Amino acid sequence: LEKGVPRGQQARGELKLRESVKQQLTDTEIQALAREWFEGLNDHRPLVEMLPLLASDGLEMVFPEATLTTMVEFERWYQGVTRTFFDQDHIITALTSPIEGAKAQVDVPVIWKASQWIAPAATSTRTAFEAKQSWTVTRSPQTGKAVISQYTVHGLEPVVN
């Protein structure tokens, strides 16, 4: 039991959370999650703000350079990309999300623009790609909020700036 929280009140809170995990996802929740995710990547937000957007159990993220299945692996990947890429911009070009209850399969193509510096180069380079991505969005059993449980980058096509 939580200190200072009456037993009945805590039980009602747990029941509400269990019920919210079963609620159907909405397009609004999925759009907000995608917006928050990409704004976080663009802004290099702290891990403490990015991790709650991901499922803590059953996570699978497939990028061209790595496949991640744990929060520790995500942290390592995120630290690497935030040190390599800057002046990022992720532009969502479409967002389709057939929803089946508390789960949605989401197609998320984005235009990704970034500057990149690789030591010992004297200057950075600017890149732009169309990233074809799909996500599985579910509800977190801990919070009841929409989270990314599977994230796959299917390909990167160069875009002329």
Side-chain angles (χ1 to χ4, degrees), residues 69-108:
T69 58
T70 67
M71 292 294 191
V72 170
E73 291 172 344
F74 173 76
E75 289 177 29
R76 201 169 319 145
W77 174 85
Y78 186 70
Q79 289 170 357
V81 297
T82 57
R83 288 185 182 113
T84 304
F85 299 103
F86 57 98
D87 293 335
Q88 293 188 85
D89 195 16
H90 291 82
I91 303 161
I92 301 170
T93 59
L95 189 68
T96 57
S97 53
I99 298 170
E100 296 176 11
K103 185 176 184 179
Q105 301 300 327
V106 186
D107 287 322
V108 193

Coordinates of all heavy atoms in Angstrom, one line a residue, residues 69-108:
T69 N 16.0 -4.1 -27.9 CA 14.9 -4.8 -27.3 C 14.8 -4.5 -25.8 O 13.9 -5.0 -25.1 CB 15.1 -6.3 -27.4 OG1 16.3 -6.8 -26.9 CG2 15.0 -6.8 -28.9
T70 N 15.7 -3.6 -25.3 CA 15.6 -3.2 -23.9 C 15.8 -1.7 -23.8 O 16.3 -1.1 -24.7 CB 16.8 -3.9 -23.1 OG1 18.0 -3.4 -23.5 CG2 16.7 -5.4 -23.2
M71 N 15.4 -1.2 -22.6 CA 15.6 0.2 -22.3 C 17.0 0.6 -22.3 O 17.4 1.7 -22.8 CB 14.9 0.6 -21.0 CG 13.4 0.5 -21.0 SD 12.7 1.7 -22.2 CE 11.0 1.6 -21.8
V72 N 17.9 -0.3 -21.8 CA 19.3 0.0 -21.7 C 19.9 0.1 -23.1 O 20.7 1.0 -23.4 CB 20.1 -1.1 -20.9 CG1 21.6 -1.0 -21.1 CG2 19.6 -1.1 -19.5
E73 N 19.5 -0.8 -24.0 CA 19.9 -0.7 -25.4 C 19.4 0.6 -26.1 O 20.2 1.3 -26.8 CB 19.5 -1.9 -26.2 CG 20.1 -3.2 -25.9 CD 19.5 -4.4 -26.5 OE1 18.4 -4.3 -27.1 OE2 20.2 -5.4 -26.5
F74 N 18.2 1.0 -25.8 CA 17.7 2.3 -26.3 C 18.5 3.4 -25.8 O 18.9 4.3 -26.5 CB 16.2 2.5 -26.0 CG 15.7 3.8 -26.4 CD1 15.5 4.1 -27.7 CD2 15.6 4.9 -25.4 CE1 15.1 5.4 -28.1 CE2 15.2 6.1 -25.8 CZ 15.0 6.4 -27.1
E75 N 18.8 3.4 -24.5 CA 19.6 4.5 -23.9 C 20.9 4.7 -24.6 O 21.3 5.8 -24.9 CB 19.8 4.3 -22.4 CG 18.5 4.5 -21.6 CD 18.7 4.1 -20.1 OE1 19.9 4.3 -19.6 OE2 17.8 3.7 -19.5
R76 N 21.6 3.6 -24.8 CA 22.9 3.6 -25.5 C 22.7 4.1 -26.9 O 23.5 5.0 -27.4 CB 23.5 2.2 -25.5 CG 24.9 2.1 -25.7 CD 25.5 0.7 -25.5 NE 24.9 0.1 -24.3 CZ 24.6 -1.2 -24.1 NH1 24.9 -2.0 -25.1 NH2 24.0 -1.6 -23.1
W77 N 21.7 3.6 -27.7 CA 21.5 4.1 -29.0 C 21.2 5.6 -29.0 O 21.8 6.4 -29.8 CB 20.3 3.3 -29.7 CG 19.9 3.8 -31.0 CD1 20.4 3.5 -32.2 CD2 18.9 4.8 -31.3 NE1 19.8 4.2 -33.2 CE2 18.8 4.9 -32.7 CE3 18.0 5.5 -30.5 CZ2 18.0 5.8 -33.3 CZ3 17.1 6.3 -31.1 CH2 17.1 6.5 -32.5
Y78 N 20.3 6.0 -28.1 CA 19.9 7.4 -28.1 C 21.1 8.3 -27.8 O 21.2 9.4 -28.4 CB 18.8 7.6 -27.1 CG 18.1 9.0 -27.0 CD1 17.3 9.4 -28.1 CD2 18.3 9.8 -25.9 CE1 16.7 10.7 -28.0 CE2 17.7 11.1 -25.9 CZ 16.9 11.5 -27.0 OH 16.4 12.7 -26.9
Q79 N 21.9 7.9 -26.8 CA 23.1 8.7 -26.5 C 24.0 8.9 -27.7 O 24.6 9.9 -28.0 CB 23.8 8.2 -25.3 CG 23.0 8.4 -24.0 CD 23.6 7.6 -22.9 OE1 24.6 6.8 -23.0 NE2 23.0 7.8 -21.7
G80 N 24.1 7.8 -28.5 CA 25.0 7.8 -29.7 C 24.4 8.7 -30.8 O 25.2 9.6 -31.3
V81 N 23.1 8.6 -31.1 CA 22.6 9.5 -32.1 C 22.5 10.9 -31.7 O 22.7 11.8 -32.6 CB 21.2 9.0 -32.7 CG1 21.4 7.6 -33.3 CG2 20.1 9.0 -31.6
T82 N 22.3 11.2 -30.4 CA 22.2 12.6 -30.0 C 23.6 13.3 -30.0 O 23.7 14.5 -30.1 CB 21.6 12.8 -28.7 OG1 22.2 12.0 -27.7 CG2 20.1 12.4 -28.7
R83 N 24.6 12.5 -30.0 CA 26.0 13.0 -30.1 C 26.5 13.2 -31.5 O 27.4 13.9 -31.8 CB 27.0 12.1 -29.3 CG 26.8 12.2 -27.9 CD 27.9 11.3 -27.1 NE 27.7 11.4 -25.7 CZ 27.4 10.4 -25.0 NH1 27.2 9.2 -25.5 NH2 27.2 10.6 -23.7
T84 N 25.8 12.4 -32.4 CA 26.3 12.4 -33.8 C 25.4 13.4 -34.7 O 26.0 14.1 -35.5 CB 26.1 11.0 -34.4 OG1 26.9 10.1 -33.6 CG2 26.6 10.9 -35.9
F85 N 24.1 13.4 -34.5 CA 23.2 14.2 -35.3 C 22.7 15.4 -34.5 O 22.4 15.3 -33.3 CB 22.0 13.3 -35.7 CG 22.4 12.1 -36.6 CD1 22.4 10.9 -36.0 CD2 22.8 12.3 -37.9 CE1 22.8 9.8 -36.8 CE2 23.2 11.2 -38.6 CZ 23.2 9.9 -38.1
F86 N 22.6 16.5 -35.3 CA 22.1 17.8 -34.6 C 21.3 18.5 -35.7 O 21.3 18.2 -36.9 CB 23.2 18.6 -34.0 CG 24.3 18.9 -35.0 CD1 24.3 20.2 -35.6 CD2 25.3 18.0 -35.3 CE1 25.3 20.5 -36.5 CE2 26.3 18.4 -36.2 CZ 26.3 19.6 -36.8
D87 N 20.7 19.6 -35.3 CA 19.8 20.4 -36.2 C 18.8 19.5 -36.9 O 18.6 19.6 -38.1 CB 20.6 21.2 -37.2 CG 21.4 22.3 -36.5 OD1 21.0 22.8 -35.4 OD2 22.5 22.7 -37.1
Q88 N 18.3 18.5 -36.1 CA 17.4 17.6 -36.7 C 16.0 18.1 -37.0 O 15.5 19.0 -36.2 CB 17.2 16.3 -35.9 CG 18.5 15.5 -35.8 CD 18.2 14.2 -35.0 OE1 17.8 13.3 -35.6 NE2 18.5 14.2 -33.7
D89 N 15.3 17.6 -37.9 CA 13.9 17.9 -38.2 C 13.2 16.6 -38.7 O 13.7 16.1 -39.7 CB 13.8 19.0 -39.2 CG 12.4 19.7 -39.2 OD1 11.6 19.5 -38.3 OD2 12.1 20.4 -40.2
H90 N 12.2 16.2 -38.0 CA 11.4 15.0 -38.5 C 10.1 15.6 -38.9 O 9.4 16.2 -38.1 CB 11.2 14.0 -37.3 CG 12.5 13.3 -36.9 ND1 13.4 13.9 -36.1 CD2 12.9 12.1 -37.3 CE1 14.4 13.0 -35.9 NE2 14.1 11.9 -36.6
I91 N 9.7 15.4 -40.2 CA 8.5 15.9 -40.7 C 7.6 14.7 -41.0 O 7.9 13.9 -41.9 CB 8.7 16.8 -41.9 CG1 9.7 17.9 -41.6 CG2 7.4 17.3 -42.5 CD1 10.3 18.6 -42.8
I92 N 6.5 14.6 -40.3 CA 5.6 13.4 -40.5 C 4.8 13.8 -41.8 O 4.2 14.8 -41.9 CB 4.6 13.3 -39.4 CG1 5.4 13.0 -38.1 CG2 3.6 12.2 -39.7 CD1 4.5 13.0 -36.8
T93 N 4.9 12.9 -42.8 CA 4.3 13.1 -44.1 C 2.9 12.5 -44.2 O 2.1 12.9 -45.0 CB 5.1 12.6 -45.3 OG1 5.4 11.2 -45.1 CG2 6.5 13.4 -45.3
A94 N 2.6 11.5 -43.3 CA 1.3 10.8 -43.3 C 1.3 10.1 -41.9 O 2.3 9.8 -41.4 CB 1.1 9.9 -44.4
L95 N 0.1 9.7 -41.5 CA 0.0 8.9 -40.3 C -1.3 8.1 -40.4 O -2.4 8.7 -40.3 CB -0.1 9.8 -39.0 CG 0.0 9.2 -37.7 CD1 1.4 8.6 -37.5 CD2 -0.3 10.1 -36.6
T96 N -1.1 6.8 -40.7 CA -2.3 6.0 -40.8 C -2.2 4.9 -39.7 O -1.1 4.4 -39.4 CB -2.3 5.2 -42.2 OG1 -1.1 4.5 -42.3 CG2 -2.5 6.2 -43.3
S97 N -3.3 4.7 -39.0 CA -3.3 3.9 -37.8 C -4.6 3.1 -37.7 O -5.4 3.5 -36.9 CB -3.0 4.8 -36.6 OG -4.0 5.8 -36.5
P98 N -4.7 2.0 -38.4 CA -5.8 1.1 -38.1 C -5.8 0.7 -36.6 O -4.7 0.1 -36.2 CB -5.6 -0.1 -39.0 CG -4.6 0.3 -40.0 CD -3.8 1.4 -39.4
I99 N -6.8 0.9 -35.9 CA -6.9 0.7 -34.5 C -7.7 -0.6 -34.2 O -8.8 -0.7 -34.7 CB -7.4 1.9 -33.7 CG1 -6.5 3.1 -33.9 CG2 -7.6 1.6 -32.2 CD1 -7.1 4.4 -33.4
E100 N -7.1 -1.5 -33.4 CA -7.9 -2.7 -33.0 C -7.8 -2.7 -31.5 O -6.9 -3.3 -30.8 CB -7.2 -3.9 -33.5 CG -7.3 -4.0 -35.1 CD -6.5 -5.2 -35.6 OE1 -6.2 -6.1 -34.8 OE2 -6.3 -5.2 -36.8
G101 N -8.8 -2.0 -30.8 CA -8.9 -2.0 -29.4 C -7.7 -1.2 -28.8 O -7.5 0.0 -29.2
A102 N -7.0 -1.8 -27.9 CA -5.9 -1.1 -27.2 C -4.5 -1.3 -28.0 O -3.5 -1.2 -27.4 CB -5.7 -1.6 -25.8
K103 N -4.6 -1.6 -29.3 CA -3.4 -1.8 -30.1 C -3.7 -1.2 -31.5 O -4.8 -1.2 -32.0 CB -3.2 -3.3 -30.3 CG -1.9 -3.7 -31.0 CD -1.8 -5.2 -30.9 CE -0.5 -5.6 -31.5 NZ -0.3 -7.1 -31.5
A104 N -2.6 -0.6 -32.0 CA -2.7 0.0 -33.4 C -1.4 -0.2 -34.1 O -0.3 -0.2 -33.6 CB -3.0 1.5 -33.3
Q105 N -1.6 -0.5 -35.4 CA -0.5 -0.7 -36.4 C -0.4 0.7 -37.1 O -1.3 1.0 -37.8 CB -0.7 -1.8 -37.3 CG -0.9 -3.2 -36.7 CD 0.3 -3.6 -35.8 OE1 1.4 -3.3 -36.2 NE2 0.0 -4.3 -34.8
V106 N 0.7 1.3 -36.9 CA 0.8 2.7 -37.4 C 1.9 2.8 -38.5 O 3.0 2.4 -38.3 CB 1.1 3.7 -36.3 CG1 1.1 5.1 -36.8 CG2 0.2 3.5 -35.1
D107 N 1.5 3.4 -39.7 CA 2.5 3.7 -40.7 C 2.9 5.1 -40.5 O 2.0 6.0 -40.4 CB 2.0 3.5 -42.1 CG 1.9 2.0 -42.4 OD1 2.8 1.2 -42.0 OD2 0.9 1.6 -43.1
V108 N 4.2 5.4 -40.3 CA 4.7 6.7 -40.0 C 5.8 7.1 -40.9 O 7.0 7.1 -40.5 CB 5.2 6.8 -38.5 CG1 5.4 8.2 -38.1 CG2 4.3 6.1 -37.6

